[in-house]
Amino acid sequence: MSLVPQLVEARLSSALGEPDARAAVTFLGADRIEVLRFRDGDLVRYATLGMSAHPMTDPAAVVADPVRGPRAELVLSVRPGRADTDQVLRPLAVLAASPQVEGVVIAPGASLDLGEPLWPGAPFGAVLVAEPGGLVEDLELDEPMDPVRFLPLLPMTANEAAWKRVHGAAALEERWLAHGTDLRDPLRAGVPLADSLP
């Protein structure tokens, strides 16, 4: 089981190159979470490491299965230079530790609310968990363990997060697409949320 983080780091490096920085955060009642930073052309990507060491457990389950259950790591991609996005390391670690600390299962379509900006001055205090597979392929593990999925995080403004709660993740993503929203811009404005699309 202790090999999972090593396998995850190898998969991240094969997809994104070698990390150029890393930070570690330890929370009471949880294993250490690392956040790795990768430079990828005109983007910087932050990926968690350690969240997938244990499967996520349905909070309604009476007994946690130490082997079976969904496993994931989180990946955030932004354009560097416009904001101090390196300050996102601790917020990302908080999100990655939440399955251990709070007993939540993080899956595509979920909203994760930090209650504070992702980095100083950020217009985002929440993220939408997107579908995996586009950037980093799932990492298959030995049976009976579930594969590790690498879940992209899409920053949301407070208004977008509230709108998503009512209309759903797919509707918000459609609105972003219709307006040509640059979801990697760390200072972008919220998408228009009027009832009619242009």
PDB file of all heavy atoms in Angstrom, residues 128-170:
ATOM      1  N   LEU A 128     -14.663  23.478  -8.980  1.00  0.00           N
ATOM      2  CA  LEU A 128     -15.496  22.411  -9.523  1.00  0.00           C
ATOM      3  C   LEU A 128     -14.574  21.255  -9.888  1.00  0.00           C
ATOM      4  O   LEU A 128     -13.542  21.457 -10.527  1.00  0.00           O
ATOM      5  CB  LEU A 128     -16.247  22.905 -10.758  1.00  0.00           C
ATOM      6  CG  LEU A 128     -17.054  21.859 -11.529  1.00  0.00           C
ATOM      7  CD1 LEU A 128     -18.203  21.335 -10.677  1.00  0.00           C
ATOM      8  CD2 LEU A 128     -17.580  22.437 -12.839  1.00  0.00           C
ATOM      9  N   VAL A 129     -14.933  20.050  -9.477  1.00  0.00           N
ATOM     10  CA  VAL A 129     -14.147  18.866  -9.810  1.00  0.00           C
ATOM     11  C   VAL A 129     -14.587  18.382 -11.188  1.00  0.00           C
ATOM     12  O   VAL A 129     -15.761  18.051 -11.391  1.00  0.00           O
ATOM     13  CB  VAL A 129     -14.338  17.757  -8.762  1.00  0.00           C
ATOM     14  CG1 VAL A 129     -13.468  16.544  -9.110  1.00  0.00           C
ATOM     15  CG2 VAL A 129     -13.997  18.272  -7.366  1.00  0.00           C
ATOM     16  N   ALA A 130     -13.653  18.376 -12.143  1.00  0.00           N
ATOM     17  CA  ALA A 130     -13.971  18.000 -13.523  1.00  0.00           C
ATOM     18  C   ALA A 130     -13.671  16.521 -13.761  1.00  0.00           C
ATOM     19  O   ALA A 130     -13.123  15.818 -12.907  1.00  0.00           O
ATOM     20  CB  ALA A 130     -13.174  18.872 -14.491  1.00  0.00           C
ATOM     21  N   GLU A 131     -14.046  16.053 -14.954  1.00  0.00           N
ATOM     22  CA  GLU A 131     -13.811  14.659 -15.324  1.00  0.00           C
ATOM     23  C   GLU A 131     -12.319  14.410 -15.537  1.00  0.00           C
ATOM     24  O   GLU A 131     -11.623  15.235 -16.120  1.00  0.00           O
ATOM     25  CB  GLU A 131     -14.572  14.316 -16.608  1.00  0.00           C
ATOM     26  CG  GLU A 131     -16.081  14.276 -16.439  1.00  0.00           C
ATOM     27  CD  GLU A 131     -16.562  13.093 -15.623  1.00  0.00           C
ATOM     28  OE1 GLU A 131     -15.816  12.087 -15.521  1.00  0.00           O
ATOM     29  OE2 GLU A 131     -17.671  13.178 -15.066  1.00  0.00           O
ATOM     30  N   PRO A 132     -11.814  13.263 -15.083  1.00  0.00           N
ATOM     31  CA  PRO A 132     -10.391  12.953 -15.258  1.00  0.00           C
ATOM     32  C   PRO A 132     -10.114  12.362 -16.629  1.00  0.00           C
ATOM     33  O   PRO A 132     -11.028  12.137 -17.422  1.00  0.00           O
ATOM     34  CB  PRO A 132     -10.146  11.916 -14.168  1.00  0.00           C
ATOM     35  CG  PRO A 132     -11.452  11.173 -14.089  1.00  0.00           C
ATOM     36  CD  PRO A 132     -12.525  12.219 -14.351  1.00  0.00           C
ATOM     37  N   GLY A 133      -8.830  12.111 -16.897  1.00  0.00           N
ATOM     38  CA  GLY A 133      -8.436  11.361 -18.079  1.00  0.00           C
ATOM     39  C   GLY A 133      -7.828  12.176 -19.196  1.00  0.00           C
ATOM     40  O   GLY A 133      -7.131  11.637 -20.047  1.00  0.00           O
ATOM     41  N   GLY A 134      -8.084  13.475 -19.232  1.00  0.00           N
ATOM     42  CA  GLY A 134      -7.573  14.267 -20.338  1.00  0.00           C
ATOM     43  C   GLY A 134      -6.105  14.615 -20.208  1.00  0.00           C
ATOM     44  O   GLY A 134      -5.357  14.580 -21.184  1.00  0.00           O
ATOM     45  N   LEU A 135      -5.674  14.936 -19.006  1.00  0.00           N
ATOM     46  CA  LEU A 135      -4.308  15.400 -18.782  1.00  0.00           C
ATOM     47  C   LEU A 135      -3.403  14.272 -18.288  1.00  0.00           C
ATOM     48  O   LEU A 135      -2.319  14.048 -18.806  1.00  0.00           O
ATOM     49  CB  LEU A 135      -4.316  16.556 -17.774  1.00  0.00           C
ATOM     50  CG  LEU A 135      -2.971  17.199 -17.465  1.00  0.00           C
ATOM     51  CD1 LEU A 135      -2.390  17.848 -18.709  1.00  0.00           C
ATOM     52  CD2 LEU A 135      -3.124  18.228 -16.347  1.00  0.00           C
ATOM     53  N   VAL A 136      -3.850  13.577 -17.259  1.00  0.00           N
ATOM     54  CA  VAL A 136      -3.093  12.464 -16.681  1.00  0.00           C
ATOM     55  C   VAL A 136      -4.003  11.243 -16.666  1.00  0.00           C
ATOM     56  O   VAL A 136      -5.090  11.282 -16.090  1.00  0.00           O
ATOM     57  CB  VAL A 136      -2.621  12.782 -15.243  1.00  0.00           C
ATOM     58  CG1 VAL A 136      -1.747  11.644 -14.703  1.00  0.00           C
ATOM     59  CG2 VAL A 136      -1.868  14.104 -15.192  1.00  0.00           C
ATOM     60  N   GLU A 137      -3.571  10.175 -17.303  1.00  0.00           N
ATOM     61  CA  GLU A 137      -4.391   8.970 -17.373  1.00  0.00           C
ATOM     62  C   GLU A 137      -4.511   8.313 -16.003  1.00  0.00           C
ATOM     63  O   GLU A 137      -3.610   8.412 -15.171  1.00  0.00           O
ATOM     64  CB  GLU A 137      -3.789   7.967 -18.359  1.00  0.00           C
ATOM     65  CG  GLU A 137      -3.888   8.374 -19.815  1.00  0.00           C
ATOM     66  CD  GLU A 137      -3.362   7.294 -20.737  1.00  0.00           C
ATOM     67  OE1 GLU A 137      -3.164   6.139 -20.286  1.00  0.00           O
ATOM     68  OE2 GLU A 137      -3.140   7.602 -21.915  1.00  0.00           O
ATOM     69  N   ASP A 138      -5.629   7.609 -15.807  1.00  0.00           N
ATOM     70  CA  ASP A 138      -5.818   6.855 -14.574  1.00  0.00           C
ATOM     71  C   ASP A 138      -4.634   5.910 -14.356  1.00  0.00           C
ATOM     72  O   ASP A 138      -4.062   5.379 -15.323  1.00  0.00           O
ATOM     73  CB  ASP A 138      -7.102   6.017 -14.634  1.00  0.00           C
ATOM     74  CG  ASP A 138      -8.362   6.865 -14.635  1.00  0.00           C
ATOM     75  OD1 ASP A 138      -8.249   8.101 -14.488  1.00  0.00           O
ATOM     76  OD2 ASP A 138      -9.457   6.284 -14.775  1.00  0.00           O
ATOM     77  N   LEU A 139      -4.294   5.707 -13.092  1.00  0.00           N
ATOM     78  CA  LEU A 139      -3.221   4.790 -12.728  1.00  0.00           C
ATOM     79  C   LEU A 139      -3.844   3.502 -12.199  1.00  0.00           C
ATOM     80  O   LEU A 139      -4.479   3.506 -11.136  1.00  0.00           O
ATOM     81  CB  LEU A 139      -2.326   5.425 -11.654  1.00  0.00           C
ATOM     82  CG  LEU A 139      -1.269   4.523 -11.023  1.00  0.00           C
ATOM     83  CD1 LEU A 139      -0.246   4.076 -12.062  1.00  0.00           C
ATOM     84  CD2 LEU A 139      -0.590   5.230  -9.855  1.00  0.00           C
ATOM     85  N   GLU A 140      -3.706   2.440 -12.955  1.00  0.00           N
ATOM     86  CA  GLU A 140      -4.241   1.144 -12.528  1.00  0.00           C
ATOM     87  C   GLU A 140      -3.367   0.581 -11.404  1.00  0.00           C
ATOM     88  O   GLU A 140      -2.141   0.627 -11.481  1.00  0.00           O
ATOM     89  CB  GLU A 140      -4.287   0.156 -13.698  1.00  0.00           C
ATOM     90  CG  GLU A 140      -5.198   0.586 -14.836  1.00  0.00           C
ATOM     91  CD  GLU A 140      -6.664   0.593 -14.461  1.00  0.00           C
ATOM     92  OE1 GLU A 140      -7.052  -0.165 -13.543  1.00  0.00           O
ATOM     93  OE2 GLU A 140      -7.427   1.357 -15.085  1.00  0.00           O
ATOM     94  N   LEU A 141      -4.028   0.041 -10.377  1.00  0.00           N
ATOM     95  CA  LEU A 141      -3.331  -0.589  -9.255  1.00  0.00           C
ATOM     96  C   LEU A 141      -3.688  -2.068  -9.223  1.00  0.00           C
ATOM     97  O   LEU A 141      -4.630  -2.513  -9.878  1.00  0.00           O
ATOM     98  CB  LEU A 141      -3.742   0.075  -7.933  1.00  0.00           C
ATOM     99  CG  LEU A 141      -3.447   1.573  -7.812  1.00  0.00           C
ATOM    100  CD1 LEU A 141      -4.023   2.103  -6.499  1.00  0.00           C
ATOM    101  CD2 LEU A 141      -1.951   1.845  -7.881  1.00  0.00           C
ATOM    102  N   ASP A 142      -2.926  -2.834  -8.451  1.00  0.00           N
ATOM    103  CA  ASP A 142      -3.198  -4.267  -8.341  1.00  0.00           C
ATOM    104  C   ASP A 142      -4.583  -4.497  -7.758  1.00  0.00           C
ATOM    105  O   ASP A 142      -5.027  -3.775  -6.850  1.00  0.00           O
ATOM    106  CB  ASP A 142      -2.149  -4.943  -7.452  1.00  0.00           C
ATOM    107  CG  ASP A 142      -0.764  -4.944  -8.094  1.00  0.00           C
ATOM    108  OD1 ASP A 142      -0.679  -4.809  -9.328  1.00  0.00           O
ATOM    109  OD2 ASP A 142       0.228  -5.071  -7.346  1.00  0.00           O
ATOM    110  N   GLU A 143      -5.266  -5.494  -8.272  1.00  0.00           N
ATOM    111  CA  GLU A 143      -6.563  -5.890  -7.717  1.00  0.00           C
ATOM    112  C   GLU A 143      -6.390  -6.253  -6.240  1.00  0.00           C
ATOM    113  O   GLU A 143      -5.349  -6.777  -5.859  1.00  0.00           O
ATOM    114  CB  GLU A 143      -7.116  -7.106  -8.488  1.00  0.00           C
ATOM    115  CG  GLU A 143      -7.498  -6.798  -9.918  1.00  0.00           C
ATOM    116  CD  GLU A 143      -8.772  -5.982 -10.028  1.00  0.00           C
ATOM    117  OE1 GLU A 143      -9.478  -5.851  -9.003  1.00  0.00           O
ATOM    118  OE2 GLU A 143      -9.066  -5.470 -11.114  1.00  0.00           O
ATOM    119  N   PRO A 144      -7.371  -5.966  -5.400  1.00  0.00           N
ATOM    120  CA  PRO A 144      -8.694  -5.410  -5.707  1.00  0.00           C
ATOM    121  C   PRO A 144      -8.753  -3.878  -5.568  1.00  0.00           C
ATOM    122  O   PRO A 144      -9.829  -3.320  -5.458  1.00  0.00           O
ATOM    123  CB  PRO A 144      -9.573  -6.073  -4.649  1.00  0.00           C
ATOM    124  CG  PRO A 144      -8.675  -6.156  -3.450  1.00  0.00           C
ATOM    125  CD  PRO A 144      -7.281  -6.408  -3.986  1.00  0.00           C
ATOM    126  N   MET A 145      -7.603  -3.198  -5.603  1.00  0.00           N
ATOM    127  CA  MET A 145      -7.614  -1.748  -5.419  1.00  0.00           C
ATOM    128  C   MET A 145      -8.167  -1.047  -6.656  1.00  0.00           C
ATOM    129  O   MET A 145      -7.916  -1.456  -7.788  1.00  0.00           O
ATOM    130  CB  MET A 145      -6.193  -1.241  -5.118  1.00  0.00           C
ATOM    131  CG  MET A 145      -5.644  -1.692  -3.782  1.00  0.00           C
ATOM    132  SD  MET A 145      -4.062  -0.896  -3.375  1.00  0.00           S
ATOM    133  CE  MET A 145      -2.952  -1.763  -4.471  1.00  0.00           C
ATOM    134  N   ASP A 146      -8.918   0.015  -6.420  1.00  0.00           N
ATOM    135  CA  ASP A 146      -9.426   0.843  -7.512  1.00  0.00           C
ATOM    136  C   ASP A 146      -8.279   1.647  -8.119  1.00  0.00           C
ATOM    137  O   ASP A 146      -7.281   1.925  -7.445  1.00  0.00           O
ATOM    138  CB  ASP A 146     -10.486   1.836  -6.988  1.00  0.00           C
ATOM    139  CG  ASP A 146     -11.787   1.155  -6.621  1.00  0.00           C
ATOM    140  OD1 ASP A 146     -11.771  -0.054  -6.322  1.00  0.00           O
ATOM    141  OD2 ASP A 146     -12.826   1.834  -6.619  1.00  0.00           O
ATOM    142  N   PRO A 147      -8.399   2.063  -9.389  1.00  0.00           N
ATOM    143  CA  PRO A 147      -7.368   2.905  -9.982  1.00  0.00           C
ATOM    144  C   PRO A 147      -7.347   4.296  -9.347  1.00  0.00           C
ATOM    145  O   PRO A 147      -8.346   4.741  -8.777  1.00  0.00           O
ATOM    146  CB  PRO A 147      -7.768   2.988 -11.460  1.00  0.00           C
ATOM    147  CG  PRO A 147      -9.236   2.702 -11.471  1.00  0.00           C
ATOM    148  CD  PRO A 147      -9.477   1.753 -10.335  1.00  0.00           C
ATOM    149  N   VAL A 148      -6.205   4.959  -9.457  1.00  0.00           N
ATOM    150  CA  VAL A 148      -6.090   6.357  -9.012  1.00  0.00           C
ATOM    151  C   VAL A 148      -6.522   7.240 -10.181  1.00  0.00           C
ATOM    152  O   VAL A 148      -6.014   7.104 -11.297  1.00  0.00           O
ATOM    153  CB  VAL A 148      -4.646   6.697  -8.599  1.00  0.00           C
ATOM    154  CG1 VAL A 148      -4.542   8.178  -8.217  1.00  0.00           C
ATOM    155  CG2 VAL A 148      -4.187   5.809  -7.452  1.00  0.00           C
ATOM    156  N   ARG A 149      -7.457   8.145  -9.916  1.00  0.00           N
ATOM    157  CA  ARG A 149      -7.925   9.085 -10.936  1.00  0.00           C
ATOM    158  C   ARG A 149      -7.358  10.463 -10.605  1.00  0.00           C
ATOM    159  O   ARG A 149      -7.287  10.851  -9.432  1.00  0.00           O
ATOM    160  CB  ARG A 149      -9.456   9.123 -10.954  1.00  0.00           C
ATOM    161  CG  ARG A 149     -10.076   7.753 -11.146  1.00  0.00           C
ATOM    162  CD  ARG A 149     -11.583   7.808 -10.988  1.00  0.00           C
ATOM    163  NE  ARG A 149     -12.216   8.215 -12.234  1.00  0.00           N
ATOM    164  CZ  ARG A 149     -13.467   8.658 -12.327  1.00  0.00           C
ATOM    165  NH1 ARG A 149     -14.216   8.776 -11.237  1.00  0.00           N
ATOM    166  NH2 ARG A 149     -13.979   8.996 -13.488  1.00  0.00           N
ATOM    167  N   PHE A 150      -6.963  11.192 -11.633  1.00  0.00           N
ATOM    168  CA  PHE A 150      -6.377  12.517 -11.461  1.00  0.00           C
ATOM    169  C   PHE A 150      -7.439  13.543 -11.849  1.00  0.00           C
ATOM    170  O   PHE A 150      -7.753  13.716 -13.029  1.00  0.00           O
ATOM    171  CB  PHE A 150      -5.109  12.635 -12.307  1.00  0.00           C
ATOM    172  CG  PHE A 150      -4.042  11.651 -11.882  1.00  0.00           C
ATOM    173  CD1 PHE A 150      -4.007  10.368 -12.403  1.00  0.00           C
ATOM    174  CD2 PHE A 150      -3.110  12.003 -10.920  1.00  0.00           C
ATOM    175  CE1 PHE A 150      -3.053   9.450 -11.992  1.00  0.00           C
ATOM    176  CE2 PHE A 150      -2.143  11.097 -10.498  1.00  0.00           C
ATOM    177  CZ  PHE A 150      -2.120   9.818 -11.029  1.00  0.00           C
ATOM    178  N   LEU A 151      -8.023  14.179 -10.837  1.00  0.00           N
ATOM    179  CA  LEU A 151      -9.198  15.023 -11.019  1.00  0.00           C
ATOM    180  C   LEU A 151      -8.801  16.478 -11.229  1.00  0.00           C
ATOM    181  O   LEU A 151      -8.230  17.109 -10.330  1.00  0.00           O
ATOM    182  CB  LEU A 151     -10.110  14.912  -9.793  1.00  0.00           C
ATOM    183  CG  LEU A 151     -10.586  13.492  -9.446  1.00  0.00           C
ATOM    184  CD1 LEU A 151     -11.365  13.509  -8.138  1.00  0.00           C
ATOM    185  CD2 LEU A 151     -11.425  12.906 -10.575  1.00  0.00           C
ATOM    186  N   PRO A 152      -9.113  17.061 -12.399  1.00  0.00           N
ATOM    187  CA  PRO A 152      -8.837  18.485 -12.612  1.00  0.00           C
ATOM    188  C   PRO A 152      -9.765  19.343 -11.752  1.00  0.00           C
ATOM    189  O   PRO A 152     -10.942  19.013 -11.558  1.00  0.00           O
ATOM    190  CB  PRO A 152      -9.142  18.688 -14.107  1.00  0.00           C
ATOM    191  CG  PRO A 152      -9.215  17.318 -14.698  1.00  0.00           C
ATOM    192  CD  PRO A 152      -9.657  16.409 -13.597  1.00  0.00           C
ATOM    193  N   LEU A 153      -9.228  20.443 -11.251  1.00  0.00           N
ATOM    194  CA  LEU A 153     -10.015  21.400 -10.481  1.00  0.00           C
ATOM    195  C   LEU A 153     -10.188  22.679 -11.296  1.00  0.00           C
ATOM    196  O   LEU A 153      -9.220  23.217 -11.831  1.00  0.00           O
ATOM    197  CB  LEU A 153      -9.313  21.729  -9.160  1.00  0.00           C
ATOM    198  CG  LEU A 153      -9.056  20.564  -8.210  1.00  0.00           C
ATOM    199  CD1 LEU A 153      -8.379  21.067  -6.938  1.00  0.00           C
ATOM    200  CD2 LEU A 153     -10.336  19.816  -7.865  1.00  0.00           C
ATOM    201  N   LEU A 154     -11.425  23.162 -11.379  1.00  0.00           N
ATOM    202  CA  LEU A 154     -11.737  24.378 -12.126  1.00  0.00           C
ATOM    203  C   LEU A 154     -12.198  25.440 -11.133  1.00  0.00           C
ATOM    204  O   LEU A 154     -13.256  25.286 -10.510  1.00  0.00           O
ATOM    205  CB  LEU A 154     -12.837  24.097 -13.159  1.00  0.00           C
ATOM    206  CG  LEU A 154     -12.562  22.915 -14.101  1.00  0.00           C
ATOM    207  CD1 LEU A 154     -13.759  22.677 -15.003  1.00  0.00           C
ATOM    208  CD2 LEU A 154     -11.295  23.137 -14.905  1.00  0.00           C
ATOM    209  N   PRO A 155     -11.418  26.513 -10.950  1.00  0.00           N
ATOM    210  CA  PRO A 155     -11.797  27.541  -9.967  1.00  0.00           C
ATOM    211  C   PRO A 155     -13.141  28.191 -10.309  1.00  0.00           C
ATOM    212  O   PRO A 155     -13.442  28.464 -11.476  1.00  0.00           O
ATOM    213  CB  PRO A 155     -10.651  28.552 -10.056  1.00  0.00           C
ATOM    214  CG  PRO A 155      -9.488  27.770 -10.585  1.00  0.00           C
ATOM    215  CD  PRO A 155     -10.094  26.785 -11.539  1.00  0.00           C
ATOM    216  N   MET A 156     -13.945  28.430  -9.268  1.00  0.00           N
ATOM    217  CA  MET A 156     -15.257  29.067  -9.425  1.00  0.00           C
ATOM    218  C   MET A 156     -15.344  30.316  -8.551  1.00  0.00           C
ATOM    219  O   MET A 156     -14.882  30.304  -7.404  1.00  0.00           O
ATOM    220  CB  MET A 156     -16.390  28.128  -8.994  1.00  0.00           C
ATOM    221  CG  MET A 156     -16.566  26.887  -9.818  1.00  0.00           C
ATOM    222  SD  MET A 156     -18.069  25.959  -9.353  1.00  0.00           S
ATOM    223  CE  MET A 156     -17.611  25.351  -7.720  1.00  0.00           C
ATOM    224  N   THR A 157     -15.974  31.363  -9.075  1.00  0.00           N
ATOM    225  CA  THR A 157     -16.306  32.516  -8.246  1.00  0.00           C
ATOM    226  C   THR A 157     -17.462  32.125  -7.334  1.00  0.00           C
ATOM    227  O   THR A 157     -18.118  31.092  -7.536  1.00  0.00           O
ATOM    228  CB  THR A 157     -16.719  33.715  -9.114  1.00  0.00           C
ATOM    229  OG1 THR A 157     -17.950  33.384  -9.785  1.00  0.00           O
ATOM    230  CG2 THR A 157     -15.647  34.071 -10.132  1.00  0.00           C
ATOM    231  N   ALA A 158     -17.743  32.962  -6.345  1.00  0.00           N
ATOM    232  CA  ALA A 158     -18.852  32.672  -5.420  1.00  0.00           C
ATOM    233  C   ALA A 158     -20.180  32.587  -6.173  1.00  0.00           C
ATOM    234  O   ALA A 158     -21.014  31.706  -5.900  1.00  0.00           O
ATOM    235  CB  ALA A 158     -18.915  33.741  -4.331  1.00  0.00           C
ATOM    236  N   ASN A 159     -20.388  33.499  -7.136  1.00  0.00           N
ATOM    237  CA  ASN A 159     -21.636  33.474  -7.904  1.00  0.00           C
ATOM    238  C   ASN A 159     -21.738  32.212  -8.755  1.00  0.00           C
ATOM    239  O   ASN A 159     -22.820  31.616  -8.864  1.00  0.00           O
ATOM    240  CB  ASN A 159     -21.740  34.718  -8.793  1.00  0.00           C
ATOM    241  CG  ASN A 159     -22.084  35.963  -8.004  1.00  0.00           C
ATOM    242  OD1 ASN A 159     -22.534  35.890  -6.865  1.00  0.00           O
ATOM    243  ND2 ASN A 159     -21.857  37.113  -8.603  1.00  0.00           N
ATOM    244  N   GLU A 160     -20.619  31.808  -9.359  1.00  0.00           N
ATOM    245  CA  GLU A 160     -20.629  30.585 -10.164  1.00  0.00           C
ATOM    246  C   GLU A 160     -20.921  29.364  -9.300  1.00  0.00           C
ATOM    247  O   GLU A 160     -21.679  28.474  -9.689  1.00  0.00           O
ATOM    248  CB  GLU A 160     -19.290  30.417 -10.879  1.00  0.00           C
ATOM    249  CG  GLU A 160     -19.067  31.412 -12.007  1.00  0.00           C
ATOM    250  CD  GLU A 160     -17.657  31.401 -12.553  1.00  0.00           C
ATOM    251  OE1 GLU A 160     -16.739  30.876 -11.865  1.00  0.00           O
ATOM    252  OE2 GLU A 160     -17.453  31.927 -13.651  1.00  0.00           O
ATOM    253  N   ALA A 161     -20.323  29.321  -8.110  1.00  0.00           N
ATOM    254  CA  ALA A 161     -20.552  28.191  -7.206  1.00  0.00           C
ATOM    255  C   ALA A 161     -22.026  28.123  -6.796  1.00  0.00           C
ATOM    256  O   ALA A 161     -22.621  27.043  -6.743  1.00  0.00           O
ATOM    257  CB  ALA A 161     -19.651  28.305  -5.984  1.00  0.00           C
ATOM    258  N   ALA A 162     -22.623  29.289  -6.504  1.00  0.00           N
ATOM    259  CA  ALA A 162     -24.037  29.321  -6.118  1.00  0.00           C
ATOM    260  C   ALA A 162     -24.915  28.895  -7.299  1.00  0.00           C
ATOM    261  O   ALA A 162     -25.886  28.146  -7.131  1.00  0.00           O
ATOM    262  CB  ALA A 162     -24.414  30.722  -5.645  1.00  0.00           C
ATOM    263  N   TRP A 163     -24.594  29.362  -8.493  1.00  0.00           N
ATOM    264  CA  TRP A 163     -25.360  29.023  -9.692  1.00  0.00           C
ATOM    265  C   TRP A 163     -25.252  27.527  -9.987  1.00  0.00           C
ATOM    266  O   TRP A 163     -26.235  26.879 -10.355  1.00  0.00           O
ATOM    267  CB  TRP A 163     -24.841  29.858 -10.858  1.00  0.00           C
ATOM    268  CG  TRP A 163     -25.760  29.917 -12.042  1.00  0.00           C
ATOM    269  CD1 TRP A 163     -26.792  30.790 -12.243  1.00  0.00           C
ATOM    270  CD2 TRP A 163     -25.712  29.078 -13.205  1.00  0.00           C
ATOM    271  NE1 TRP A 163     -27.381  30.539 -13.454  1.00  0.00           N
ATOM    272  CE2 TRP A 163     -26.739  29.502 -14.071  1.00  0.00           C
ATOM    273  CE3 TRP A 163     -24.888  28.015 -13.591  1.00  0.00           C
ATOM    274  CZ2 TRP A 163     -26.979  28.892 -15.298  1.00  0.00           C
ATOM    275  CZ3 TRP A 163     -25.122  27.408 -14.815  1.00  0.00           C
ATOM    276  CH2 TRP A 163     -26.152  27.849 -15.656  1.00  0.00           C
ATOM    277  N   LYS A 164     -24.054  26.975  -9.791  1.00  0.00           N
ATOM    278  CA  LYS A 164     -23.849  25.545 -10.025  1.00  0.00           C
ATOM    279  C   LYS A 164     -24.684  24.703  -9.071  1.00  0.00           C
ATOM    280  O   LYS A 164     -25.205  23.646  -9.443  1.00  0.00           O
ATOM    281  CB  LYS A 164     -22.358  25.219  -9.891  1.00  0.00           C
ATOM    282  CG  LYS A 164     -22.004  23.750 -10.126  1.00  0.00           C
ATOM    283  CD  LYS A 164     -21.855  23.010  -8.816  1.00  0.00           C
ATOM    284  CE  LYS A 164     -21.604  21.538  -9.045  1.00  0.00           C
ATOM    285  NZ  LYS A 164     -21.647  20.763  -7.791  1.00  0.00           N
ATOM    286  N   ARG A 165     -24.829  25.152  -7.814  1.00  0.00           N
ATOM    287  CA  ARG A 165     -25.629  24.389  -6.850  1.00  0.00           C
ATOM    288  C   ARG A 165     -27.072  24.251  -7.325  1.00  0.00           C
ATOM    289  O   ARG A 165     -27.720  23.242  -7.064  1.00  0.00           O
ATOM    290  CB  ARG A 165     -25.587  25.051  -5.470  1.00  0.00           C
ATOM    291  CG  ARG A 165     -24.298  24.784  -4.701  1.00  0.00           C
ATOM    292  CD  ARG A 165     -24.404  25.184  -3.232  1.00  0.00           C
ATOM    293  NE  ARG A 165     -24.479  26.614  -3.046  1.00  0.00           N
ATOM    294  CZ  ARG A 165     -23.423  27.426  -2.962  1.00  0.00           C
ATOM    295  NH1 ARG A 165     -22.203  26.918  -3.067  1.00  0.00           N
ATOM    296  NH2 ARG A 165     -23.584  28.717  -2.772  1.00  0.00           N
ATOM    297  N   VAL A 166     -27.572  25.257  -8.030  1.00  0.00           N
ATOM    298  CA  VAL A 166     -28.957  25.232  -8.508  1.00  0.00           C
ATOM    299  C   VAL A 166     -29.079  24.488  -9.834  1.00  0.00           C
ATOM    300  O   VAL A 166     -29.976  23.670 -10.023  1.00  0.00           O
ATOM    301  CB  VAL A 166     -29.498  26.676  -8.656  1.00  0.00           C
ATOM    302  CG1 VAL A 166     -30.887  26.677  -9.275  1.00  0.00           C
ATOM    303  CG2 VAL A 166     -29.497  27.387  -7.310  1.00  0.00           C
ATOM    304  N   HIS A 167     -28.156  24.758 -10.761  1.00  0.00           N
ATOM    305  CA  HIS A 167     -28.300  24.271 -12.133  1.00  0.00           C
ATOM    306  C   HIS A 167     -27.448  23.045 -12.457  1.00  0.00           C
ATOM    307  O   HIS A 167     -27.682  22.399 -13.488  1.00  0.00           O
ATOM    308  CB  HIS A 167     -27.960  25.399 -13.114  1.00  0.00           C
ATOM    309  CG  HIS A 167     -28.853  26.590 -12.993  1.00  0.00           C
ATOM    310  ND1 HIS A 167     -30.095  26.658 -13.583  1.00  0.00           N
ATOM    311  CD2 HIS A 167     -28.697  27.757 -12.322  1.00  0.00           C
ATOM    312  CE1 HIS A 167     -30.663  27.821 -13.290  1.00  0.00           C
ATOM    313  NE2 HIS A 167     -29.829  28.508 -12.528  1.00  0.00           N
ATOM    314  N   GLY A 168     -26.450  22.753 -11.652  1.00  0.00           N
ATOM    315  CA  GLY A 168     -25.620  21.580 -11.886  1.00  0.00           C
ATOM    316  C   GLY A 168     -24.307  21.893 -12.578  1.00  0.00           C
ATOM    317  O   GLY A 168     -24.139  22.949 -13.200  1.00  0.00           O
ATOM    318  N   ALA A 169     -23.367  20.958 -12.464  1.00  0.00           N
ATOM    319  CA  ALA A 169     -22.024  21.146 -13.007  1.00  0.00           C
ATOM    320  C   ALA A 169     -22.038  21.245 -14.529  1.00  0.00           C
ATOM    321  O   ALA A 169     -21.349  22.084 -15.119  1.00  0.00           O
ATOM    322  CB  ALA A 169     -21.120  19.999 -12.558  1.00  0.00           C
ATOM    323  N   ALA A 170     -22.813  20.389 -15.202  1.00  0.00           N
ATOM    324  CA  ALA A 170     -22.819  20.385 -16.664  1.00  0.00           C
ATOM    325  C   ALA A 170     -23.295  21.726 -17.212  1.00  0.00           C
ATOM    326  O   ALA A 170     -22.749  22.242 -18.197  1.00  0.00           O
ATOM    327  CB  ALA A 170     -23.697  19.250 -17.184  1.00  0.00           C
TER     328      ALA A 170
END
